[in-house]
PDB file of all heavy atoms in Angstrom:
ATOM      1  N   GLY A   1       0.788  -1.224   0.002  1.00  0.00           N
ATOM      2  CA  GLY A   1       0.000   0.001  -0.001  1.00  0.00           C
ATOM      3  C   GLY A   1       0.814   1.268   0.001  1.00  0.00           C
ATOM      4  O   GLY A   1       0.269   2.356   0.059  1.00  0.00           O
ATOM      5  N   LYS A   2       2.145   1.190  -0.055  1.00  0.00           N
ATOM      6  CA  LYS A   2       2.982   2.387  -0.018  1.00  0.00           C
ATOM      7  C   LYS A   2       3.859   2.445  -1.269  1.00  0.00           C
ATOM      8  O   LYS A   2       4.336   1.436  -1.763  1.00  0.00           O
ATOM      9  CB  LYS A   2       3.882   2.398   1.228  1.00  0.00           C
ATOM     10  CG  LYS A   2       3.101   2.435   2.538  1.00  0.00           C
ATOM     11  CD  LYS A   2       4.072   2.453   3.697  1.00  0.00           C
ATOM     12  CE  LYS A   2       3.341   2.494   5.038  1.00  0.00           C
ATOM     13  NZ  LYS A   2       4.262   2.495   6.185  1.00  0.00           N
ATOM     14  N   ASN A   3       4.072   3.667  -1.751  1.00  0.00           N
ATOM     15  CA  ASN A   3       4.983   3.826  -2.884  1.00  0.00           C
ATOM     16  C   ASN A   3       6.414   3.632  -2.421  1.00  0.00           C
ATOM     17  O   ASN A   3       6.841   4.202  -1.432  1.00  0.00           O
ATOM     18  CB  ASN A   3       4.850   5.238  -3.490  1.00  0.00           C
ATOM     19  CG  ASN A   3       3.600   5.344  -4.336  1.00  0.00           C
ATOM     20  OD1 ASN A   3       3.182   4.363  -4.955  1.00  0.00           O
ATOM     21  ND2 ASN A   3       3.001   6.515  -4.364  1.00  0.00           N
ATOM     22  N   SER A   4       7.157   2.795  -3.130  1.00  0.00           N
ATOM     23  CA  SER A   4       8.567   2.587  -2.814  1.00  0.00           C
ATOM     24  C   SER A   4       9.390   3.180  -3.937  1.00  0.00           C
ATOM     25  O   SER A   4       9.436   2.647  -5.035  1.00  0.00           O
ATOM     26  CB  SER A   4       8.868   1.091  -2.682  1.00  0.00           C
ATOM     27  OG  SER A   4      10.230   0.859  -2.549  1.00  0.00           O
ATOM     28  N   ARG A   5      10.023   4.309  -3.672  1.00  0.00           N
ATOM     29  CA  ARG A   5      10.808   4.970  -4.717  1.00  0.00           C
ATOM     30  C   ARG A   5      12.194   4.377  -4.765  1.00  0.00           C
ATOM     31  O   ARG A   5      12.971   4.506  -3.831  1.00  0.00           O
ATOM     32  CB  ARG A   5      10.890   6.469  -4.446  1.00  0.00           C
ATOM     33  CG  ARG A   5      11.612   7.215  -5.567  1.00  0.00           C
ATOM     34  CD  ARG A   5      11.481   8.704  -5.390  1.00  0.00           C
ATOM     35  NE  ARG A   5      12.000   9.364  -6.581  1.00  0.00           N
ATOM     36  CZ  ARG A   5      12.982  10.249  -6.543  1.00  0.00           C
ATOM     37  NH1 ARG A   5      13.548  10.553  -5.415  1.00  0.00           N
ATOM     38  NH2 ARG A   5      13.398  10.831  -7.644  1.00  0.00           N
ATOM     39  N   LYS A   6      12.496   3.703  -5.864  1.00  0.00           N
ATOM     40  CA  LYS A   6      13.796   3.069  -6.000  1.00  0.00           C
ATOM     41  C   LYS A   6      14.531   3.646  -7.203  1.00  0.00           C
ATOM     42  O   LYS A   6      14.039   3.600  -8.317  1.00  0.00           O
ATOM     43  CB  LYS A   6      13.642   1.554  -6.195  1.00  0.00           C
ATOM     44  CG  LYS A   6      13.075   0.851  -4.979  1.00  0.00           C
ATOM     45  CD  LYS A   6      13.009  -0.640  -5.184  1.00  0.00           C
ATOM     46  CE  LYS A   6      11.936  -1.044  -6.134  1.00  0.00           C
ATOM     47  NZ  LYS A   6      11.759  -2.484  -6.225  1.00  0.00           N
ATOM     48  N   ARG A   7      15.694   4.201  -6.944  1.00  0.00           N
ATOM     49  CA  ARG A   7      16.522   4.656  -8.036  1.00  0.00           C
ATOM     50  C   ARG A   7      16.996   3.413  -8.773  1.00  0.00           C
ATOM     51  O   ARG A   7      17.046   2.315  -8.206  1.00  0.00           O
ATOM     52  CB  ARG A   7      17.717   5.423  -7.474  1.00  0.00           C
ATOM     53  CG  ARG A   7      18.358   6.378  -8.465  1.00  0.00           C
ATOM     54  CD  ARG A   7      17.538   7.625  -8.593  1.00  0.00           C
ATOM     55  NE  ARG A   7      18.133   8.519  -9.576  1.00  0.00           N
ATOM     56  CZ  ARG A   7      17.906   9.827  -9.605  1.00  0.00           C
ATOM     57  NH1 ARG A   7      17.121  10.367  -8.710  1.00  0.00           N
ATOM     58  NH2 ARG A   7      18.457  10.572 -10.528  1.00  0.00           N
ATOM     59  N   LEU A   8      17.367   3.544 -10.014  1.00  0.00           N
ATOM     60  CA  LEU A   8      17.720   2.385 -10.814  1.00  0.00           C
ATOM     61  C   LEU A   8      18.979   1.694 -10.299  1.00  0.00           C
ATOM     62  O   LEU A   8      20.097   2.118 -10.565  1.00  0.00           O
ATOM     63  CB  LEU A   8      17.937   2.808 -12.274  1.00  0.00           C
ATOM     64  CG  LEU A   8      16.657   3.210 -13.016  1.00  0.00           C
ATOM     65  CD1 LEU A   8      17.016   3.739 -14.381  1.00  0.00           C
ATOM     66  CD2 LEU A   8      15.711   2.038 -13.132  1.00  0.00           C
ATOM     67  N   LEU A   9      18.795   0.627  -9.554  1.00  0.00           N
ATOM     68  CA  LEU A   9      19.918  -0.203  -9.115  1.00  0.00           C
ATOM     69  C   LEU A   9      20.193  -1.243 -10.195  1.00  0.00           C
ATOM     70  O   LEU A   9      19.266  -1.768 -10.806  1.00  0.00           O
ATOM     71  CB  LEU A   9      19.578  -0.904  -7.801  1.00  0.00           C
ATOM     72  CG  LEU A   9      19.427  -0.015  -6.563  1.00  0.00           C
ATOM     73  CD1 LEU A   9      18.916  -0.835  -5.400  1.00  0.00           C
ATOM     74  CD2 LEU A   9      20.742   0.648  -6.202  1.00  0.00           C
ATOM     75  N   ASN A  10      21.448  -1.527 -10.414  1.00  0.00           N
ATOM     76  CA  ASN A  10      21.811  -2.551 -11.386  1.00  0.00           C
ATOM     77  C   ASN A  10      21.573  -3.925 -10.759  1.00  0.00           C
ATOM     78  O   ASN A  10      22.257  -4.293  -9.794  1.00  0.00           O
ATOM     79  CB  ASN A  10      23.280  -2.397 -11.780  1.00  0.00           C
ATOM     80  CG  ASN A  10      23.667  -3.295 -12.933  1.00  0.00           C
ATOM     81  OD1 ASN A  10      23.114  -4.387 -13.090  1.00  0.00           O
ATOM     82  ND2 ASN A  10      24.610  -2.857 -13.739  1.00  0.00           N
ATOM     83  N   PRO A  11      20.638  -4.700 -11.278  1.00  0.00           N
ATOM     84  CA  PRO A  11      20.312  -5.999 -10.664  1.00  0.00           C
ATOM     85  C   PRO A  11      21.440  -7.014 -10.765  1.00  0.00           C
ATOM     86  O   PRO A  11      21.417  -8.035 -10.078  1.00  0.00           O
ATOM     87  CB  PRO A  11      19.076  -6.456 -11.455  1.00  0.00           C
ATOM     88  CG  PRO A  11      19.211  -5.769 -12.774  1.00  0.00           C
ATOM     89  CD  PRO A  11      19.829  -4.435 -12.488  1.00  0.00           C
ATOM     90  N   LEU A  12      22.412  -6.754 -11.632  1.00  0.00           N
ATOM     91  CA  LEU A  12      23.532  -7.680 -11.790  1.00  0.00           C
ATOM     92  C   LEU A  12      24.660  -7.390 -10.796  1.00  0.00           C
ATOM     93  O   LEU A  12      25.596  -8.175 -10.685  1.00  0.00           O
ATOM     94  CB  LEU A  12      24.076  -7.600 -13.218  1.00  0.00           C
ATOM     95  CG  LEU A  12      23.053  -7.894 -14.334  1.00  0.00           C
ATOM     96  CD1 LEU A  12      23.727  -7.801 -15.694  1.00  0.00           C
ATOM     97  CD2 LEU A  12      22.423  -9.253 -14.135  1.00  0.00           C
ATOM     98  N   PHE A  13      24.564  -6.274 -10.092  1.00  0.00           N
ATOM     99  CA  PHE A  13      25.584  -5.932  -9.090  1.00  0.00           C
ATOM    100  C   PHE A  13      25.129  -6.481  -7.736  1.00  0.00           C
ATOM    101  O   PHE A  13      24.440  -5.813  -6.971  1.00  0.00           O
ATOM    102  CB  PHE A  13      25.786  -4.426  -9.012  1.00  0.00           C
ATOM    103  CG  PHE A  13      26.583  -3.847 -10.148  1.00  0.00           C
ATOM    104  CD1 PHE A  13      26.766  -2.479 -10.277  1.00  0.00           C
ATOM    105  CD2 PHE A  13      27.166  -4.665 -11.096  1.00  0.00           C
ATOM    106  CE1 PHE A  13      27.504  -1.937 -11.317  1.00  0.00           C
ATOM    107  CE2 PHE A  13      27.909  -4.139 -12.150  1.00  0.00           C
ATOM    108  CZ  PHE A  13      28.074  -2.778 -12.256  1.00  0.00           C
ATOM    109  N   THR A  14      25.531  -7.700  -7.450  1.00  0.00           N
ATOM    110  CA  THR A  14      25.174  -8.356  -6.192  1.00  0.00           C
ATOM    111  C   THR A  14      26.434  -8.852  -5.502  1.00  0.00           C
ATOM    112  O   THR A  14      27.504  -8.925  -6.115  1.00  0.00           O
ATOM    113  CB  THR A  14      24.232  -9.545  -6.458  1.00  0.00           C
ATOM    114  OG1 THR A  14      24.939 -10.513  -7.278  1.00  0.00           O
ATOM    115  CG2 THR A  14      22.972  -9.114  -7.178  1.00  0.00           C
ATOM    116  N   PHE A  15      26.290  -9.229  -4.234  1.00  0.00           N
ATOM    117  CA  PHE A  15      27.446  -9.777  -3.509  1.00  0.00           C
ATOM    118  C   PHE A  15      27.900 -11.095  -4.110  1.00  0.00           C
ATOM    119  O   PHE A  15      29.086 -11.412  -4.127  1.00  0.00           O
ATOM    120  CB  PHE A  15      27.098  -9.954  -2.030  1.00  0.00           C
ATOM    121  CG  PHE A  15      27.043  -8.672  -1.262  1.00  0.00           C
ATOM    122  CD1 PHE A  15      25.840  -8.199  -0.751  1.00  0.00           C
ATOM    123  CD2 PHE A  15      28.179  -7.915  -1.049  1.00  0.00           C
ATOM    124  CE1 PHE A  15      25.771  -7.014  -0.042  1.00  0.00           C
ATOM    125  CE2 PHE A  15      28.132  -6.715  -0.342  1.00  0.00           C
ATOM    126  CZ  PHE A  15      26.920  -6.267   0.156  1.00  0.00           C
ATOM    127  N   SER A  16      26.962 -11.887  -4.604  1.00  0.00           N
ATOM    128  CA  SER A  16      27.313 -13.200  -5.150  1.00  0.00           C
ATOM    129  C   SER A  16      28.174 -13.088  -6.401  1.00  0.00           C
ATOM    130  O   SER A  16      28.936 -14.010  -6.722  1.00  0.00           O
ATOM    131  CB  SER A  16      26.047 -14.008  -5.457  1.00  0.00           C
ATOM    132  OG  SER A  16      25.281 -13.352  -6.447  1.00  0.00           O
ATOM    133  N   LEU A  17      28.056 -11.974  -7.118  1.00  0.00           N
ATOM    134  CA  LEU A  17      28.834 -11.793  -8.344  1.00  0.00           C
ATOM    135  C   LEU A  17      30.064 -10.915  -8.133  1.00  0.00           C
ATOM    136  O   LEU A  17      30.746 -10.573  -9.078  1.00  0.00           O
ATOM    137  CB  LEU A  17      27.945 -11.175  -9.434  1.00  0.00           C
ATOM    138  CG  LEU A  17      26.805 -12.055  -9.954  1.00  0.00           C
ATOM    139  CD1 LEU A  17      25.985 -11.320 -10.988  1.00  0.00           C
ATOM    140  CD2 LEU A  17      27.336 -13.361 -10.525  1.00  0.00           C
ATOM    141  N   PHE A  18      30.329 -10.556  -6.880  1.00  0.00           N
ATOM    142  CA  PHE A  18      31.496  -9.729  -6.573  1.00  0.00           C
ATOM    143  C   PHE A  18      32.657 -10.626  -6.177  1.00  0.00           C
ATOM    144  O   PHE A  18      32.544 -11.438  -5.254  1.00  0.00           O
ATOM    145  CB  PHE A  18      31.156  -8.761  -5.436  1.00  0.00           C
ATOM    146  CG  PHE A  18      32.257  -7.773  -5.148  1.00  0.00           C
ATOM    147  CD1 PHE A  18      32.419  -6.656  -5.935  1.00  0.00           C
ATOM    148  CD2 PHE A  18      33.128  -7.955  -4.081  1.00  0.00           C
ATOM    149  CE1 PHE A  18      33.425  -5.729  -5.681  1.00  0.00           C
ATOM    150  CE2 PHE A  18      34.136  -7.052  -3.818  1.00  0.00           C
ATOM    151  CZ  PHE A  18      34.283  -5.935  -4.628  1.00  0.00           C
ATOM    152  N   VAL A  19      33.777 -10.504  -6.882  1.00  0.00           N
ATOM    153  CA  VAL A  19      34.951 -11.332  -6.606  1.00  0.00           C
ATOM    154  C   VAL A  19      35.814 -10.633  -5.559  1.00  0.00           C
ATOM    155  O   VAL A  19      36.269  -9.514  -5.763  1.00  0.00           O
ATOM    156  CB  VAL A  19      35.767 -11.583  -7.881  1.00  0.00           C
ATOM    157  CG1 VAL A  19      37.020 -12.408  -7.555  1.00  0.00           C
ATOM    158  CG2 VAL A  19      34.923 -12.300  -8.927  1.00  0.00           C
ATOM    159  N   GLU A  20      36.026 -11.310  -4.455  1.00  0.00           N
ATOM    160  CA  GLU A  20      36.801 -10.730  -3.359  1.00  0.00           C
ATOM    161  C   GLU A  20      38.260 -11.157  -3.402  1.00  0.00           C
ATOM    162  O   GLU A  20      38.587 -12.268  -3.811  1.00  0.00           O
ATOM    163  CB  GLU A  20      36.199 -11.133  -2.004  1.00  0.00           C
ATOM    164  CG  GLU A  20      34.856 -10.509  -1.724  1.00  0.00           C
ATOM    165  CD  GLU A  20      34.349 -10.851  -0.341  1.00  0.00           C
ATOM    166  OE1 GLU A  20      35.179 -10.941   0.589  1.00  0.00           O
ATOM    167  OE2 GLU A  20      33.133 -11.048  -0.192  1.00  0.00           O
ATOM    168  N   GLY A  21      39.114 -10.262  -2.974  1.00  0.00           N
ATOM    169  CA  GLY A  21      40.539 -10.539  -2.834  1.00  0.00           C
ATOM    170  C   GLY A  21      41.092  -9.660  -1.739  1.00  0.00           C
ATOM    171  O   GLY A  21      40.353  -8.925  -1.076  1.00  0.00           O
ATOM    172  N   ARG A  22      42.397  -9.695  -1.566  1.00  0.00           N
ATOM    173  CA  ARG A  22      42.994  -8.903  -0.495  1.00  0.00           C
ATOM    174  C   ARG A  22      42.765  -7.408  -0.677  1.00  0.00           C
ATOM    175  O   ARG A  22      42.675  -6.664   0.291  1.00  0.00           O
ATOM    176  CB  ARG A  22      44.509  -9.188  -0.436  1.00  0.00           C
ATOM    177  CG  ARG A  22      44.852 -10.542   0.170  1.00  0.00           C
ATOM    178  CD  ARG A  22      46.333 -10.795   0.125  1.00  0.00           C
ATOM    179  NE  ARG A  22      46.822 -10.944  -1.237  1.00  0.00           N
ATOM    180  CZ  ARG A  22      48.085 -11.200  -1.548  1.00  0.00           C
ATOM    181  NH1 ARG A  22      48.988 -11.308  -0.592  1.00  0.00           N
ATOM    182  NH2 ARG A  22      48.457 -11.341  -2.811  1.00  0.00           N
ATOM    183  N   SER A  23      42.628  -6.977  -1.928  1.00  0.00           N
ATOM    184  CA  SER A  23      42.506  -5.546  -2.212  1.00  0.00           C
ATOM    185  C   SER A  23      41.128  -4.979  -1.861  1.00  0.00           C
ATOM    186  O   SER A  23      40.992  -3.772  -1.682  1.00  0.00           O
ATOM    187  CB  SER A  23      42.798  -5.280  -3.690  1.00  0.00           C
ATOM    188  OG  SER A  23      41.873  -5.970  -4.509  1.00  0.00           O
ATOM    189  N   ASN A  24      40.106  -5.822  -1.787  1.00  0.00           N
ATOM    190  CA  ASN A  24      38.746  -5.303  -1.572  1.00  0.00           C
ATOM    191  C   ASN A  24      37.973  -6.042  -0.485  1.00  0.00           C
ATOM    192  O   ASN A  24      36.790  -5.808  -0.276  1.00  0.00           O
ATOM    193  CB  ASN A  24      37.943  -5.371  -2.873  1.00  0.00           C
ATOM    194  CG  ASN A  24      37.836  -6.781  -3.434  1.00  0.00           C
ATOM    195  OD1 ASN A  24      37.855  -7.762  -2.711  1.00  0.00           O
ATOM    196  ND2 ASN A  24      37.723  -6.891  -4.744  1.00  0.00           N
ATOM    197  N   GLN A  25      38.642  -6.980   0.212  1.00  0.00           N
ATOM    198  CA  GLN A  25      37.949  -7.834   1.178  1.00  0.00           C
ATOM    199  C   GLN A  25      37.320  -7.035   2.321  1.00  0.00           C
ATOM    200  O   GLN A  25      36.174  -7.267   2.704  1.00  0.00           O
ATOM    201  CB  GLN A  25      38.916  -8.874   1.728  1.00  0.00           C
ATOM    202  CG  GLN A  25      38.226  -9.983   2.513  1.00  0.00           C
ATOM    203  CD  GLN A  25      39.185 -11.115   2.827  1.00  0.00           C
ATOM    204  OE1 GLN A  25      40.364 -10.877   3.101  1.00  0.00           O
ATOM    205  NE2 GLN A  25      38.706 -12.338   2.792  1.00  0.00           N
ATOM    206  N   MET A  26      38.062  -6.074   2.845  1.00  0.00           N
ATOM    207  CA  MET A  26      37.536  -5.297   3.964  1.00  0.00           C
ATOM    208  C   MET A  26      36.323  -4.487   3.531  1.00  0.00           C
ATOM    209  O   MET A  26      35.330  -4.381   4.264  1.00  0.00           O
ATOM    210  CB  MET A  26      38.607  -4.368   4.525  1.00  0.00           C
ATOM    211  CG  MET A  26      38.127  -3.571   5.733  1.00  0.00           C
ATOM    212  SD  MET A  26      39.417  -2.554   6.473  1.00  0.00           S
ATOM    213  CE  MET A  26      38.486  -1.730   7.782  1.00  0.00           C
ATOM    214  N   ALA A  27      36.368  -3.917   2.336  1.00  0.00           N
ATOM    215  CA  ALA A  27      35.239  -3.135   1.825  1.00  0.00           C
ATOM    216  C   ALA A  27      34.005  -4.015   1.676  1.00  0.00           C
ATOM    217  O   ALA A  27      32.895  -3.625   2.061  1.00  0.00           O
ATOM    218  CB  ALA A  27      35.596  -2.490   0.495  1.00  0.00           C
ATOM    219  N   ALA A  28      34.177  -5.217   1.135  1.00  0.00           N
ATOM    220  CA  ALA A  28      33.043  -6.127   0.949  1.00  0.00           C
ATOM    221  C   ALA A  28      32.468  -6.571   2.282  1.00  0.00           C
ATOM    222  O   ALA A  28      31.237  -6.600   2.461  1.00  0.00           O
ATOM    223  CB  ALA A  28      33.488  -7.338   0.123  1.00  0.00           C
TER     224      ALA A  28
END
């Protein structure tokens, strides 16, 4: 019953598709 205003998020940008390594592990 409420409007949900969502800016265009890229549906392909998910945690499951993000490759982690030493350079970005803390950020993830």
Side-chain angles (χ1 to χ4, degrees):
K2 297 181 180 179
N3 283 328
S4 172
R5 184 171 189 238
K6 294 183 287 187
R7 202 78 182 202
L8 289 174
L9 293 173
N10 188 329
L12 303 181
F13 284 175
T14 62
F15 286 113
S16 62
L17 293 178
F18 186 80
V19 178
E20 291 184 36
R22 285 177 294 181
S23 61
N24 59 29
Q25 192 170 37
M26 182 176 178

